[in-house]
């Protein structure tokens, strides 16, 4: 597929290489990314530049970037249909990021809730990148003239910021950027911790029983579901307020099987939580097994992965450099030759 096939709308999203995805990342985002590939031109990237805002061991960062790329492919993102690349492999991002920095105001960046949260979490490393993170993200999106950006609730403020910066640029220098809209997939599930179902399932949870990694094996998955927190009234019914644990398991089961909450209630009427947890765990294990196998195969074929990354980088650079050149011209940078 060529980037000139303009009939389809463009969807773009990025994911940080901060460790193996959880079932939450998968059901909340990546699974729907796969489904979008037919109807849209999809551009997906590993946001390794964004990950620099948090300090981790460089060897680990490299490894996680490679793994994240392989995971996207293992989850069914097809490089024949979609553009998949590593952000830092396309130099346009860093360059556009600086132009966006210079269009961003201190005041608006100061109001970003993610900046406030992350500064609190890492008080010893409140670096400038953490502060200008949304400007880099605006550049990521605007470079590709994306129509839609699937993001979780934690990123909607950044998307709003992107629209503000784009509007300001267009107004000051002339219309060159398309204003992106959020894309909120119907199927996107918000998966909660198995141990504390009132908080989101998170990679960084210290209790390993709380989180399913998409690379967990069947035995581990079944064991974790068995010990998932529920309640004592033995009724499979969707009620987030009063039955957060059971509702979370229903959300997971529904996201995998496509069954409605009513259908699920019917399926488990008169049965105990034991059966319910076993069935949900098995559904998850069956869904993740081919992903784990594909991931192992990809990680063992370094040459193939490298070639795919290179292809992605070249195509991403080709597309983005068109917009970057326009932006550089508009702000009055002297273009070489
Ligand atoms: N900030 C996003 C996150 O942490 C990752 C990201 C970077 C992104 N650039 C993007 C998402 C552009 C969508 C579009 O989840």
């Amino acid at each position: 597929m060529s980037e000139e096939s303009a009939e389809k709308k463009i969807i773009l999203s990025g994911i940080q290489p901060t460790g193996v995805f959880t079932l939450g990342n998968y059901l909340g985002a990546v699974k729907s990314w796969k489904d979008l590939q037919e109807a849209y031109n999809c551009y997906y990237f590993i946001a390794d530049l964004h990950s620099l805002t948090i300090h981790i061991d460089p060897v680990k960062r490299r490894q996680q970037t490679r793994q994240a790329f392989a995971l996207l492919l293992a989850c069914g993102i097809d490089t024949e249909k979609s553009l998949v690349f590593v952000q830092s492999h396309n130099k346009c991002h860093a360059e556009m990021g600086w132009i966006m920095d210079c269009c961003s105001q201190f005041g608006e960046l100061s109001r970003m809730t993610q900046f406030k949260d992350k500064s609190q979490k890492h008080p010893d490393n409140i670096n400038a990148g953490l502060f200008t993170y949304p400007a880099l993200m605006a550049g990521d999106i605007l470079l590709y003239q994306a129509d839609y950006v699937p993001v979780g609730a934690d990123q909607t403020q950044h998307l709003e910021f992107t629209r503000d910066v784009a509007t300001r640029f267009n107004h000051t220098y002339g219309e060159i950027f398309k204003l992106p809209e959020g894309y909120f997939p119907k199927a996107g599930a918000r998966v909660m911790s198995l141990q504390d179902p009132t908080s989101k399932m998170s990679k960084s949870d210290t209790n390993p029983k709380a989180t399913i990694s998409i690379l967990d094996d069947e035995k581990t998955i079944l064991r974790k579901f068995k010990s998932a927190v529920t309640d004592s009234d033995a009724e499979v019914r969707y009620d987030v307020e009063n039955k957060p644990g059971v509702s979370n398991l229903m959300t997971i089961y529904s996201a995998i099987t496509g069954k409605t909450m009513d259908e699920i209630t019917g399926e488990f009427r008169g049965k105990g939580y034991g059966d319910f947890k076993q069935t949900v765990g098995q559904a998850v294990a069956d869904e993740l097994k081919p992903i784990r196998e594909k991931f192992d195969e990809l990680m063992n074929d370094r040459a193939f992965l490298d070639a795919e990354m290179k292809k992605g980088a070249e195509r991403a650079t080709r597309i983005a450099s068109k917009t970057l050149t326009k932006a550089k011209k508009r702000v009055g940078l002297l273009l070489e030759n």
Side-chain angles (χ1 to χ4, degrees):
M1 193 186 66
S2 91
E3 52 266 28
E4 280 75 35
S5 65
E7 330 79 60
K8 290 184 184 172
K9 298 266 191 201
I10 296 169
I11 289 236
L12 170 138
S13 200
I15 190 161
Q16 288 203 44
T18 42
V20 171
F21 307 157
T22 66
L23 182 65
N25 299 126
Y26 174 69
L27 293 179
V30 180
K31 187 171 154 61
S32 62
W33 290 9
K34 179 182 78 180
D35 301 333
L36 295 170
Q37 294 182 107
E38 307 303 330
Y40 298 93
N41 276 334
C42 295
Y43 304 164
Y44 299 127
F45 66 95
I46 311 302
D48 59 343
L49 293 174
H50 281 90
S51 86
L52 291 179
T53 55
I54 305 292
H55 179 75
I56 61 161
D57 173 35
V59 174
K60 205 167 154 198
R61 196 187 315 278
R62 251 191 300 278
Q63 202 177 22
Q64 290 183 346
T65 301
R66 192 172 276 287
Q67 284 180 346
F69 189 90
L71 278 172
L72 287 187
L73 304 198
C75 288
I77 310 287
D78 178 350
T79 56
E80 292 294 312
K81 296 180 188 154
S82 301
L83 168 60
V84 190
F85 64 100
V86 176
Q87 184 186 25
S88 70
H89 291 178
N90 175 3
K91 296 189 178 70
C92 299
H93 288 262
E95 239 181 293
M96 185 64 115
W98 178 248
I99 297 178
M100 293 295 118
D101 275 347
C102 297
C103 296
S104 306
Q105 297 300 307
F106 181 84
E108 58 187 346
L109 289 172
S110 309
R111 287 193 292 275
M112 295 291 137
T113 52
Q114 188 176 80
F115 172 67
K116 293 187 221 168
D117 290 349
K118 288 201 179 169
S119 324
Q120 249 174 19
K121 254 198 209 154
H122 307 275
D124 53 336
N125 185 20
I126 307 179
N127 58 76
L130 204 56
F131 189 64
T132 61
Y133 182 110
L136 182 63
M137 181 162 159
D140 297 339
I141 297 168
L142 300 176
L143 274 175
Y144 298 88
Q145 305 286 7
D147 294 282
Y148 299 110
V149 182
V151 284
D154 61 328
Q155 299 295 316
T156 50
Q157 198 185 22
H158 291 165
L159 187 59
E160 214 34 59
F161 170 85
T162 301
R163 292 170 56 89
D164 290 345
V165 174
T167 305
R168 192 175 307 144
F169 187 105
N170 284 346
H171 183 74
T172 311
Y173 298 110
E175 295 276 328
I176 62 167
F177 294 131
K178 188 179 269 180
L179 296 193
E181 283 174 35
Y183 184 90
F184 306 99
K186 291 181 251 32
R190 186 169 154 82
V191 176
M192 313 302 276
S193 156
L194 295 184
Q195 292 299 315
D196 170 14
T198 57
S199 65
K200 204 173 144 184
M201 183 179 283
S202 157
K203 284 175 206 170
S204 51
D205 202 311
T206 46
N207 181 353
K209 287 201 298 193
T211 307
I212 304 282
S213 150
I214 69 165
L215 299 178
D216 278 347
D217 62 25
E218 176 165 331
K219 239 176 80 193
T220 309
I221 294 171
L222 290 174
R223 184 162 37 75
K224 288 183 182 173
F225 273 95
K226 202 168 167 191
S227 66
V229 167
T230 47
D231 52 53
S232 53
D233 67 28
E235 187 189 4
V236 176
R237 177 167 54 83
Y238 191 75
D239 177 351
V240 177
E241 191 90 335
N242 300 306
K243 298 167 70 67
V246 168
S247 302
N248 186 37
L249 299 183
M250 291 177 81
T251 300
I252 293 169
Y253 191 52
S254 163
I256 288 177
T257 59
K259 294 178 184 169
T260 66
M261 296 306 174
D262 283 347
E263 284 167 348
I264 297 170
T265 297
E267 184 176 341
F268 295 100
R269 188 162 293 132
K271 293 185 184 156
Y273 283 165
D275 269 356
F276 174 51
K277 289 178 178 181
Q278 163 73 28
T279 306
V280 177
Q282 192 61 54
V284 171
D286 293 346
E287 173 89 6
L288 298 186
K289 184 167 183 256
I291 296 176
R292 195 172 66 244
E293 287 170 356
K294 184 75 193 166
F295 174 79
D296 288 341
E297 185 190 316
L298 288 165
M299 289 303 284
N300 284 325
D301 192 349
R302 201 184 166 108
F304 174 79
L305 263 194
D306 284 348
E308 287 298 322
M309 282 189 191
K310 186 158 185 277
K311 242 174 43 191
E314 284 169 0
R315 184 162 167 233
T317 303
R318 227 165 32 238
I319 300 171
S321 57
K322 289 184 194 156
T323 312
L324 178 64
T325 301
K326 271 192 214 163
K328 287 169 80 172
K329 243 193 233 166
R330 289 298 174 95
V331 297
L333 291 173
L334 194 59
L335 298 180
E336 56 269 54
N337 56 64

Short mmCIF file of all heavy atoms in Angstrom, two decimals, residues 26 34 37 42 93-94 144 162 180-181 211-212 226 232 235 256 266 297 300 310 314:
data_model
loop_
_atom_site.label_atom_id
_atom_site.label_comp_id
_atom_site.label_asym_id
_atom_site.label_seq_id
_atom_site.Cartn_x
_atom_site.Cartn_y
_atom_site.Cartn_z
N TYR A 26 -3.56 -4.48 25.95
CA TYR A 26 -4.00 -5.25 24.79
C TYR A 26 -5.50 -5.04 24.52
O TYR A 26 -5.89 -4.62 23.43
CB TYR A 26 -3.68 -6.73 24.98
CG TYR A 26 -4.23 -7.62 23.89
CD1 TYR A 26 -3.72 -7.56 22.60
CD2 TYR A 26 -5.29 -8.50 24.15
CE1 TYR A 26 -4.24 -8.34 21.59
CE2 TYR A 26 -5.80 -9.30 23.15
CZ TYR A 26 -5.29 -9.21 21.87
OH TYR A 26 -5.80 -9.99 20.87
N LYS A 34 -5.60 -3.39 15.74
CA LYS A 34 -5.59 -4.42 14.71
C LYS A 34 -6.85 -4.32 13.84
O LYS A 34 -6.80 -4.38 12.63
CB LYS A 34 -5.50 -5.79 15.39
CG LYS A 34 -5.50 -6.95 14.43
CD LYS A 34 -5.46 -8.27 15.16
CE LYS A 34 -6.83 -8.62 15.72
NZ LYS A 34 -6.85 -9.90 16.44
N GLN A 37 -7.26 -1.70 10.91
CA GLN A 37 -6.37 -1.72 9.75
C GLN A 37 -7.07 -1.78 8.40
O GLN A 37 -6.52 -1.37 7.40
CB GLN A 37 -5.42 -2.93 9.83
CG GLN A 37 -4.46 -2.85 10.97
CD GLN A 37 -3.51 -4.02 11.00
OE1 GLN A 37 -2.35 -3.91 10.67
NE2 GLN A 37 -4.02 -5.19 11.36
N CYS A 42 -3.40 3.10 8.80
CA CYS A 42 -2.97 3.15 10.20
C CYS A 42 -1.47 3.34 10.32
O CYS A 42 -0.70 2.65 9.65
CB CYS A 42 -3.36 1.87 10.92
SG CYS A 42 -5.14 1.67 11.03
N HIS A 93 10.67 13.69 13.81
CA HIS A 93 9.97 13.88 15.09
C HIS A 93 10.72 14.85 15.99
O HIS A 93 10.13 15.75 16.59
CB HIS A 93 9.78 12.54 15.81
CG HIS A 93 8.76 11.67 15.15
ND1 HIS A 93 7.46 11.58 15.58
CD2 HIS A 93 8.85 10.88 14.06
CE1 HIS A 93 6.79 10.75 14.78
NE2 HIS A 93 7.62 10.31 13.85
N ALA A 94 12.04 14.67 16.09
CA ALA A 94 12.83 15.54 16.96
C ALA A 94 12.81 16.98 16.42
O ALA A 94 12.68 17.95 17.18
CB ALA A 94 14.25 15.02 17.06
N TYR A 144 1.96 13.69 10.38
CA TYR A 144 1.33 12.71 9.49
C TYR A 144 -0.06 13.14 9.05
O TYR A 144 -0.76 12.38 8.40
CB TYR A 144 1.29 11.33 10.18
CG TYR A 144 2.68 10.82 10.48
CD1 TYR A 144 3.32 11.15 11.68
CD2 TYR A 144 3.38 10.06 9.55
CE1 TYR A 144 4.62 10.74 11.94
CE2 TYR A 144 4.67 9.63 9.81
CZ TYR A 144 5.29 9.98 11.00
OH TYR A 144 6.57 9.57 11.26
N THR A 162 -2.69 19.43 21.34
CA THR A 162 -2.24 19.31 19.95
C THR A 162 -3.11 20.17 19.03
O THR A 162 -2.61 20.89 18.17
CB THR A 162 -2.30 17.84 19.48
OG1 THR A 162 -1.46 17.06 20.34
CG2 THR A 162 -1.84 17.69 18.05
N PRO A 180 -6.46 17.02 14.37
CA PRO A 180 -6.82 15.62 14.64
C PRO A 180 -7.96 15.51 15.66
O PRO A 180 -8.12 16.39 16.51
CB PRO A 180 -5.54 15.07 15.26
CG PRO A 180 -4.91 16.25 15.94
CD PRO A 180 -5.25 17.45 15.10
N GLU A 181 -8.71 14.43 15.53
CA GLU A 181 -9.77 14.17 16.51
C GLU A 181 -9.46 12.90 17.29
O GLU A 181 -8.76 12.02 16.78
CB GLU A 181 -11.10 13.98 15.79
CG GLU A 181 -11.70 15.28 15.32
CD GLU A 181 -12.94 15.06 14.49
OE1 GLU A 181 -13.69 14.11 14.79
OE2 GLU A 181 -13.12 15.83 13.54
N THR A 211 -1.74 -8.28 37.77
CA THR A 211 -1.56 -7.93 36.36
C THR A 211 -1.35 -9.17 35.51
O THR A 211 -0.60 -10.07 35.90
CB THR A 211 -0.30 -7.04 36.23
OG1 THR A 211 -0.43 -5.97 37.15
CG2 THR A 211 -0.14 -6.49 34.85
N ILE A 212 -1.99 -9.23 34.34
CA ILE A 212 -1.70 -10.27 33.38
C ILE A 212 -0.80 -9.67 32.31
O ILE A 212 -1.16 -8.67 31.69
CB ILE A 212 -2.99 -10.79 32.69
CG1 ILE A 212 -4.03 -11.29 33.69
CG2 ILE A 212 -2.67 -11.84 31.64
CD1 ILE A 212 -3.77 -12.64 34.27
N LYS A 226 -7.81 -17.31 39.15
CA LYS A 226 -8.36 -18.03 40.30
C LYS A 226 -8.29 -17.17 41.56
O LYS A 226 -9.20 -17.18 42.40
CB LYS A 226 -7.58 -19.33 40.49
CG LYS A 226 -8.33 -20.37 41.26
CD LYS A 226 -7.63 -21.71 41.18
CE LYS A 226 -8.24 -22.63 42.23
NZ LYS A 226 -7.46 -23.85 42.37
N SER A 232 -18.78 -11.48 47.85
CA SER A 232 -19.31 -12.68 48.53
C SER A 232 -20.75 -13.01 48.16
O SER A 232 -21.36 -13.86 48.77
CB SER A 232 -19.18 -12.51 50.04
OG SER A 232 -19.79 -11.28 50.40
N GLU A 235 -22.97 -13.83 42.50
CA GLU A 235 -23.87 -13.57 41.37
C GLU A 235 -23.08 -12.81 40.29
O GLU A 235 -22.49 -11.76 40.57
CB GLU A 235 -25.04 -12.70 41.86
CG GLU A 235 -26.11 -12.52 40.82
CD GLU A 235 -27.15 -11.48 41.24
OE1 GLU A 235 -27.00 -10.87 42.31
OE2 GLU A 235 -28.10 -11.29 40.46
N ILE A 256 -13.11 -10.14 24.90
CA ILE A 256 -12.51 -11.24 24.14
C ILE A 256 -13.55 -11.98 23.30
O ILE A 256 -13.32 -12.29 22.15
CB ILE A 256 -11.78 -12.21 25.09
CG1 ILE A 256 -10.51 -11.51 25.59
CG2 ILE A 256 -11.43 -13.52 24.39
CD1 ILE A 256 -9.72 -12.30 26.58
N GLY A 266 -26.37 -14.48 31.89
CA GLY A 266 -27.16 -15.68 31.59
C GLY A 266 -26.29 -16.93 31.60
O GLY A 266 -26.66 -17.96 32.18
N GLU A 297 8.73 -16.29 18.11
CA GLU A 297 9.27 -16.51 16.77
C GLU A 297 9.94 -15.22 16.25
O GLU A 297 11.06 -15.26 15.72
CB GLU A 297 8.07 -16.90 15.88
CG GLU A 297 8.39 -17.30 14.48
CD GLU A 297 7.09 -17.42 13.67
OE1 GLU A 297 6.09 -18.00 14.18
OE2 GLU A 297 7.06 -16.88 12.54
N ASN A 300 13.23 -14.32 17.85
CA ASN A 300 14.33 -15.19 17.44
C ASN A 300 14.80 -14.92 16.02
O ASN A 300 15.70 -15.56 15.51
CB ASN A 300 13.90 -16.66 17.56
CG ASN A 300 13.92 -17.10 19.00
OD1 ASN A 300 14.79 -16.66 19.78
ND2 ASN A 300 12.96 -17.92 19.40
N LYS A 310 13.45 -1.08 9.51
CA LYS A 310 14.08 -0.21 8.51
C LYS A 310 13.04 0.23 7.47
O LYS A 310 12.95 1.42 7.13
CB LYS A 310 15.22 -0.99 7.83
CG LYS A 310 16.06 -0.18 6.88
CD LYS A 310 17.43 -0.83 6.70
CE LYS A 310 18.36 0.01 5.84
NZ LYS A 310 18.14 -0.18 4.40
N GLU A 314 11.85 4.15 6.87
CA GLU A 314 11.96 4.82 5.57
C GLU A 314 10.63 5.40 5.13
O GLU A 314 10.55 6.55 4.69
CB GLU A 314 12.49 3.84 4.51
CG GLU A 314 13.99 3.62 4.67
CD GLU A 314 14.53 2.46 3.83
OE1 GLU A 314 13.73 1.80 3.09
OE2 GLU A 314 15.74 2.19 3.94
#
